[in-house]
Amino acid sequence: MLISVIMPVYNTSSSLGDAVKSVLQQSYPEFELILINDGSSDSSPEICDLLAKTDKRIKVVHQENKGLSAARNKGIEVASGDFIAFIDSDDRFDNEAFLNFYEASVQHKDMTLYVMNFDKVYGNISLPKKKNKNKVIVDKNELIELIFNSSGVAFYTWNKIYHHSLFQKIAFPEGKIFEDIVTTYQLAKKSSKTVITSEVGYHYVRSSNTIVSSSFSPEYYDILTETEHLYALLKIDFPQLKHLGLQKLMESMISVGFKLSQAPENIDTEVFKQRLQQDIRLYQEEIANDKKIPIYYKVGIKFLQDNNSLYKENYKAILKKRIIGNSSETEDKSL
C-alpha cells in the first residue's frame, strides 16, 4: 500500500531538511514524498532538488507562488498512492506514524480516513495534546461532532491520512488562509469508516512568524468567511448539529474582533470593523434563539457589538480562556 506524502515548501530552507528526514525515517517504507516548491525565493528549491537525488521516493514539483492550497492541490494531482498524507515543511512526523497507519489499514480494510494524535513543539519542549481515544467511526454524525469538539481531531489537514477517493470533486480553496476548515469537513463527510488513534503521529512545531498568529490583516478575515461557509453546509447536511457550526462562526467573529480592536486605526481596519458588524447582524437572531450556545459566546458577541473598550478588557481575561477551553481549530490558529 503506497502513501503519497505531500509537502508544500515555501521559504523554509532552515526546517525543510528535518521535515523530509522525518518522512524518510519512517518504519513503514512504502511511500512517495512529493515536494511542491511554491515559488520559494530562498534556497528551498535547490534543497528540494538535492534531496530528490538522495532517495528515489522523493519527487519535486516547482511552480509559481500560488499559496498553500494550490500547492496541496498540485500534490494531490500528481499523487499515485492509495492514501494521501500532508506535512508542513516546518513540522515532523513521528517515526512510527506510517506503520501505525498501515496496521490500522490491515485491521480495517475498508478504512477511508485515519486520524493521528499530535503534540505541539515549542523549541526543545514538546507538549502533548489531550489524548484521543481509540475509536472506529462509521456514523458520520459522530465524526462531524468530534471534529468540532475534540482538539485532537479538529479541522487540521496534517493529522489525518486520507483514502485518495475522498478527494474526488474536493479541493482546497485557493487564495484563502484557514483552507482546512471547509475542506476537512467535506472530506470527513465522505468517509465511510474512520479510525482514530491515541498514538501521537505528528509533531506540530509552533512558530510566531505566521499570518494566523500575527496582527490583523485583510486575509485574516478568511476565518470568518470560511466558518460562515461551513455553517451553511452544516445546516443542510447535519441540521441537528447546526449549533456547533454557529458556535464556531461566533468564535471566528470574536477572534477577528479582538485582532481588529488591537490594530492601528486606518481605512482598512475601519472597513473591516463595519463589515464585521454587518456579519454579526446577519446572524443576530439565530445567535439569540439558539439555546445550545454557551452564554460566554453570546456575551462576547454582545461586547463586540456594544462596547469596544469593554470587549478588549474582557477578551483576554474571560473570553479567550473560556473559548480556548471549548474550541479546536481556533486554539492554535486564531486566538
Side-chain angles (χ1 to χ4, degrees):
M1 180 186 300
L2 184 69
I3 305 171
S4 292
V5 184
I6 298 169
M7 183 187 298
V9 177
Y10 180 69
N11 291 348
T12 50
S13 57
S14 61
S15 61
L16 178 56
D18 286 340
V20 169
K21 183 179 178 181
S22 78
V23 178
L24 299 182
Q25 290 184 339
Q26 289 296 306
S27 301
Y28 179 77
E30 298 300 318
F31 61 82
E32 61 176 2
L33 173 58
I34 305 170
L35 304 178
I36 308 294
N37 168 45
D38 188 44
S40 297
S41 57
D42 65 356
S43 58
S44 295
E46 292 78 15
I47 294 173
C48 288
D49 289 337
L50 288 170
L51 288 167
K53 293 177 181 179
T54 69
D55 195 306
K56 64 181 181 180
R57 295 172 297 182
I58 300 177
K59 301 177 181 178
V60 180
V61 177
H62 298 284
Q63 65 179 27
E64 296 178 2
N65 179 244
K66 298 179 181 179
L68 179 59
S69 288
R72 285 176 173 169
N73 290 338
K74 185 63 177 179
I76 295 166
E77 179 186 325
V78 302
S80 54
D82 306 284
F83 281 83
I84 295 174
F86 298 88
I87 178 174
D88 290 347
S89 57
D90 51 0
D91 293 341
R92 301 188 298 273
F93 279 117
D94 189 82
N95 289 351
E96 303 298 315
F98 294 177
L99 181 61
N100 291 335
F101 157 79
Y102 174 72
E103 290 173 349
S105 71
V106 170
Q107 187 175 357
H108 304 280
K109 296 189 183 300
D110 52 349
M111 179 179 73
T112 51
L113 181 62
Y114 177 79
V115 182
M116 300 174 279
N117 200 11
F118 64 96
D119 59 13
K120 293 185 286 187
V121 179
Y122 300 80
N124 295 322
I125 301 172
S126 175
L127 298 179
K129 295 291 290 184
K130 184 177 180 180
K131 279 203 169 185
N132 292 333
K133 293 181 179 178
N134 293 319
K135 276 181 173 287
V136 178
I137 299 177
V138 295
D139 182 350
K140 295 181 188 296
N141 285 270
E142 183 182 1
L143 178 58
I144 297 301
E145 192 167 2
L146 267 179
I147 286 174
F148 277 94
N149 289 332
S150 170
S151 61
V153 181
F155 287 86
Y156 308 114
T157 297
W158 34 254
N159 69 326
K160 302 171 180 70
I161 301 179
Y162 313 79
H163 193 271
H164 70 91
S165 63
L166 295 181
F167 285 98
Q168 292 177 7
K169 299 183 179 180
I170 293 179
F172 291 94
E174 299 189 11
K176 298 275 189 180
I177 62 172
F178 300 99
E179 70 291 327
D180 306 39
I181 294 174
V182 173
T183 309
T184 297
Y185 168 80
Q186 291 173 323
L187 293 167
K189 189 177 72 169
K190 286 182 69 174
S191 177
S192 56
K193 178 181 278 190
T194 300
V195 175
I196 298 176
T197 177
S198 63
E199 297 290 337
V200 171
Y202 194 93
H203 305 294
Y204 170 45
V205 181
R206 292 299 304 267
S207 169
S208 60
N209 299 318
T210 60
I211 191 167
V212 291
S213 61
S214 64
S215 58
F216 180 80
S217 65
E219 293 87 351
Y220 191 82
Y221 210 85
D222 286 350
I223 189 174
L224 203 154
T225 57
E226 289 300 292
T227 51
E228 188 175 35
H229 184 193
L230 175 68
Y231 179 45
L233 293 173
L234 196 69
K235 286 194 290 186
I236 296 170
D237 300 332
F238 303 96
Q240 70 278 16
L241 300 178
K242 67 178 183 178
H243 64 285
L244 297 176
L246 181 57
Q247 181 174 308
K248 191 161 189 64
L249 178 58
M250 292 168 69
E251 288 174 16
S252 300
M253 292 173 174
I254 289 169
S255 178
V256 168
F258 176 69
K259 286 189 181 287
L260 282 169
S261 74
Q262 302 298 303
E265 292 290 339
N266 56 45
I267 294 175
D268 276 348
T269 55
E270 188 58 36
V271 166
F272 278 99
K273 283 179 182 178
Q274 293 178 13
R275 181 177 172 183
L276 178 59
Q277 292 298 329
Q278 291 171 355
D279 284 335
I280 290 173
R281 285 194 291 272
L282 284 175
Y283 298 96
Q284 196 164 0
E285 186 174 348
E286 290 177 77
I287 290 170
N289 293 335
D290 196 323
K291 299 185 184 305
K292 293 183 178 180
I293 301 293
I295 188 63
Y296 44 86
Y297 283 87
K298 296 184 178 183
V299 169
I301 295 295
K302 187 66 174 171
F303 281 156
L304 189 54
Q305 286 180 290
D306 296 346
N307 191 320
N308 193 51
S309 61
L310 195 60
Y311 173 75
K312 284 194 287 186
E313 291 172 10
N314 283 273
Y315 180 87
K316 284 190 175 179
I318 302 172
L319 298 173
K320 182 177 179 181
K321 181 179 179 182
R322 293 301 299 271
I323 291 173
I324 279 181
N326 291 273
S327 67
S328 53
E329 180 81 0
T330 47
E331 178 179 2
D332 290 314
K333 287 201 168 183
S334 65
L335 296 177

